[in-house]
């Protein structure tokens, strides 16, 4: 019996895989492997392998220790032999962390580039710093450690705007719509005022902001006029445009102010047409073969508009406007009816093609758009937009592209509010 106990004890001592050795630290894993093994989940690990597994398990990509712990684990892993590396069961975690590090470095570079994108002397430098700081503050602790020290210093320092009330007022008062740099000056004045107003709560003297608003309205008008000519130039074609068409576009371009002309991007195309680069047809081809639609509203008939959620649409073919004297009645499932006047009342009676009608209602906002061959159109008679089941004391206003209130023609007939307009518009229902 004593001999059996002695043999059992000797067998335990002789099997190194049943002995335990504590995990080594990151510094210790560079030492030569010790002949000591531990048994776990059917795998045999020496102390170096077990230490790497432990180092990987404590990496967390949310905390500031992410970089240092990742480097320690990588260093320990790289010091293993090729055989030992095969037993690192959580290597996929280490690999994922390395990919995360790449993403964090890229994110840090983007933040550093954003901060450096505006010179410290620029008017909007202060605003850019605050926007970058807000972005930086949204990062977790690990991500922040990848941003370089200088960028972090700037983002954590106090910075004041590079402007004053007097500077902003002077810039606004010197705005001149006849200068070629007018648009850039308006944009700079607005940016400077926004920076001052947002971060210091400063106010301009009475009437000064109105000057800026008027200048911005002129910029909008300039851009709209230039856009119309840009579209007209883009519509020119060597195959379908005549000399008369080119002359019409040329006249429209020459009618622009110098400020407007300089923002027409495709003027070189017009110059090619004017200089005779293309041999143009003697008669216009465009209007002889319009692309008519097969699904259209019919004059004198009631037509249900096509629906896509709250968006309604319809089409009307225009062949010879002068012979059509009946109205078009378009209905929707949103308590709205649209009555289009006869085509004989079109302002431009020489146009043929397809009228595209779009009607959209979102809560109390209604947008009505109508184009012929992708160009806005107008009628001599009123278009009627009928809205059912509104409170009798409700009113309707129209707003332009700048959000300004326009005069609106509407009247109430029983449970119907009827809006009258001769062209497209955006309307708002005011419930009292």
């Amino acid at each position: 019996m004593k001999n059996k106990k002695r043999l059992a004890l000797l067998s335990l001592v002789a099997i190194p895989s049943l002995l335990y050795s504590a995990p080594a630290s990151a510094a210790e894993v560079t030492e030569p492997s010790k002949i000591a093994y531990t048994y776990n989940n059917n795998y045999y690990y020496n102390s170096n392998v077990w230490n790497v597994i432990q180092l990987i398990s404590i990496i967390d990509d949310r905390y500031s220790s992410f970089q240092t712990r990742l480097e320690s684990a990588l260093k320990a892993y790289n010091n293993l032999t090729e055989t030992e590396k095969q037993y690192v069961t959580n290597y996929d975690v280490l690999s994922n962390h390395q990919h995360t590090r790449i993403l964090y470095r890229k994110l840090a570079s983007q933040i550093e580039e954003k901060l450096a994108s505006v010179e410290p002397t620029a008017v909007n430098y202060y605003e850019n710093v605050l926007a970058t700081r807000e972005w930086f503050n949204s990062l977790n602790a690990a991500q922040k450690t990848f941003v370089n020290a200088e960028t972090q210093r700037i983002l954590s320092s106090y910075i004041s705007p590079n402007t004053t009330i007097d500077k902003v007022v002077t810039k606004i008062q010197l705005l001149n719509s006849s200068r070629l740099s007018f648009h850039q000056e308006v944009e700079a004045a607005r940016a400077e005022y926004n920076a001052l107003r947002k971060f210091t709560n400063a106010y301009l003297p009475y009437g000064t902001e109105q000057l800026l608003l008027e200048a911005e309205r002129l910029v909008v008008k300039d851009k709209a006029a230039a856009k119309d000519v840009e579209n007209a130039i883009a519509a020119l074609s060597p195959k379908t445009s005549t000399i008369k068409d080119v002359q019409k576009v040329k006249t429209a371009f020459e009618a622009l102010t110098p400020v407007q002309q300089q923002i027409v991007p495709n003027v070189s195309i017009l110059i090619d047409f004017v200089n005779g680069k293309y041999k143009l047809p003697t008669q216009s081809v465009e209007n002889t073969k319009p692309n008519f639609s097969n699904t259209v509203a019919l004059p004198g008939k009631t037509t249900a508009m096509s629906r896509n959620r709250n968006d309604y649409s319809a089409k009307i073919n225009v062949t010879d406007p002068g012979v059509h004297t009946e109205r078009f009645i378009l209905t929707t499932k949103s308590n709205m009816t649209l009555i289009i006047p006869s085509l004989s009342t079109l302002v431009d009676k020489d146009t043929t093609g397809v009228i595209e009608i779009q009607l959209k209602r979102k809560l109390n906002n209604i947008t009505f758009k109508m184009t012929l061959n992708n160009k806005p159109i107008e009628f001599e008679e009123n278009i009627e937009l009928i809205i059912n089941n509104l409170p009798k004391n409700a009113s309707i206003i129209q707003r332009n592209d700048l959000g300004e209130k326009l005069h609106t023609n509407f009247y109430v007939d029983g449970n119907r509010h009827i809006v009258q307009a001769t062209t497209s518009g955006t309307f708002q229902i005011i419930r009292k």
Side-chain angles (χ1 to χ4, degrees):
M1 188 67 176
K2 290 182 179 181
N3 290 335
K4 290 183 179 180
K5 289 182 178 180
R6 184 178 301 169
L7 289 173
L9 180 59
L10 289 173
S11 64
L12 289 173
V13 174
I15 301 176
S17 62
L18 297 180
L19 296 180
Y20 174 77
S21 177
S25 65
E28 291 172 340
V29 296
T30 59
E31 299 297 327
S33 299
K34 298 178 181 179
I35 307 300
Y37 295 84
T38 183
Y39 178 79
N40 184 27
N41 295 335
N42 298 322
Y43 288 100
Y44 290 91
Y45 307 110
N46 66 23
S47 59
N48 289 343
V49 173
W50 180 253
N51 185 61
V52 171
I53 293 173
Q54 292 295 94
L55 290 175
I56 294 173
S57 68
I58 63 174
I59 301 172
D60 194 315
D61 59 15
R62 298 168 298 173
Y63 301 132
S64 57
S65 60
F66 174 61
Q67 286 201 72
T68 55
R69 289 187 173 180
L70 176 57
E71 288 298 333
S72 295
L74 281 172
K75 184 177 180 181
Y77 176 80
N78 290 332
N79 283 331
L80 296 178
T81 66
E82 293 304 315
T83 301
E84 289 171 331
K85 288 178 181 179
Q86 298 177 18
Y87 291 98
V88 178
T89 55
N90 55 353
Y91 175 76
D92 59 328
V93 176
L94 182 64
S95 179
N96 289 338
H97 283 315
Q98 292 182 79
H99 179 68
T100 300
R101 179 172 60 177
I102 294 173
L103 297 179
Y104 284 3
R105 283 174 175 168
K106 183 177 180 180
L107 177 62
S109 295
Q110 291 172 343
I111 290 178
E112 293 161 6
E113 289 169 3
K114 175 171 174 55
L115 182 63
S117 65
V118 178
E119 293 294 330
T121 56
V123 171
N124 61 334
Y125 177 70
Y126 179 67
E127 188 173 1
N128 183 60
V129 171
L130 292 189
T132 309
R133 179 182 297 169
E134 184 178 355
W135 186 8
F136 175 78
N137 289 339
S138 69
L139 306 183
N140 64 37
Q143 292 168 331
K144 290 178 179 178
T145 63
F146 288 84
V147 179
N148 66 46
E150 178 61 16
T151 298
Q152 291 197 45
R153 183 192 67 77
I154 295 173
L155 295 179
S156 60
S157 303
Y158 173 77
I159 297 176
S160 58
N162 293 333
T163 188
T164 64
I165 283 285
D166 291 340
K167 287 183 179 179
V168 174
V169 171
T170 301
K171 280 194 172 184
I172 294 175
Q173 290 177 340
L174 291 177
L175 292 175
N176 187 336
S177 61
S178 63
R179 279 203 296 262
L180 293 179
S181 58
F182 174 62
H183 288 194
Q184 292 82 358
E185 291 170 358
V186 171
E187 184 178 352
R190 169 56 72 182
E192 194 162 341
Y193 175 54
N194 284 348
L196 190 68
R197 178 72 182 88
K198 182 175 181 180
F199 305 116
T200 66
N201 293 321
Y203 288 90
L204 296 177
Y206 178 78
T208 307
E209 187 171 4
Q210 187 62 32
L211 292 176
L212 179 58
L213 291 173
E214 290 295 335
E216 289 175 329
R217 290 190 183 97
L218 288 177
V219 171
V220 171
K221 290 181 179 179
D222 286 346
K223 290 181 177 180
K227 188 65 177 177
D228 288 341
V229 174
E230 177 188 345
N231 293 338
I233 294 174
L236 292 176
S237 168
K239 295 182 179 179
T240 60
S241 299
T242 64
I243 296 177
K244 182 180 178 181
D245 296 329
V246 174
Q247 184 60 42
K248 184 178 179 181
V249 178
K250 178 176 178 289
T251 301
F253 177 78
E254 291 172 344
L256 298 178
T257 67
V259 174
Q260 294 167 346
Q261 288 179 351
Q262 71 172 350
I263 58 175
V264 178
N266 55 352
V267 65
S268 60
I269 297 176
L270 176 61
I271 293 174
D272 289 340
F273 277 94
V274 172
N275 290 339
K277 180 179 179 180
Y278 307 106
K279 185 177 180 180
L280 304 178
T282 56
Q283 293 183 349
S284 177
V285 179
E286 181 180 359
N287 293 332
T288 58
K289 295 181 180 180
N291 295 320
F292 293 121
S293 173
N294 294 325
T295 56
V296 295
L298 300 176
K301 305 290 184 179
T302 299
T303 305
M305 300 183 73
S306 301
R307 181 183 184 184
N308 182 12
R309 296 185 178 179
N310 291 327
D311 296 347
Y312 293 88
S313 61
K315 296 180 180 181
I316 297 175
N317 283 337
V318 181
T319 51
D320 185 355
V323 302
H324 296 287
T325 58
E326 295 184 280
R327 300 185 304 172
F328 299 81
I329 303 173
L330 309 176
T331 62
T332 72
K333 294 184 178 181
S334 296
N335 289 327
M336 296 185 297
T337 300
L338 195 61
I339 299 180
I340 308 297
S342 66
L343 299 181
S344 62
T345 63
L346 271 172
V347 172
D348 187 356
K349 296 183 176 63
D350 296 330
T351 305
T352 60
V354 179
I355 295 177
E356 302 273 354
I357 302 170
Q358 296 177 328
L359 185 61
K360 180 177 182 179
R361 180 172 181 178
K362 186 175 182 181
L363 300 178
N364 291 324
N365 297 309
I366 300 173
T367 302
F368 166 57
K369 184 178 180 182
M370 185 164 52
T371 59
L372 175 54
N373 300 330
N374 298 319
K375 296 180 180 179
I377 57 174
E378 184 176 359
F379 286 89
E380 296 170 353
E381 293 186 359
N382 281 324
I383 303 162
E384 291 189 339
L385 173 60
I386 302 172
I387 309 169
N388 297 316
N389 300 329
L390 292 181
K392 288 188 177 181
N393 60 352
S395 60
I396 299 174
I397 61 173
Q398 183 176 0
R399 297 189 182 276
N400 61 16
D401 293 339
L402 296 175
E404 298 172 323
K405 182 179 177 182
L406 304 176
H407 174 69
T408 309
N409 290 324
F410 81 93
Y411 64 93
V412 180
D413 180 14
N415 67 339
R416 305 186 305 168
H417 282 60
I418 303 174
V419 182
Q420 295 181 322
T422 58
T423 188
S424 305
T426 300
F427 304 93
Q428 182 180 4
I429 301 170
I430 306 298
R431 300 175 187 266
K432 300 180 180 179

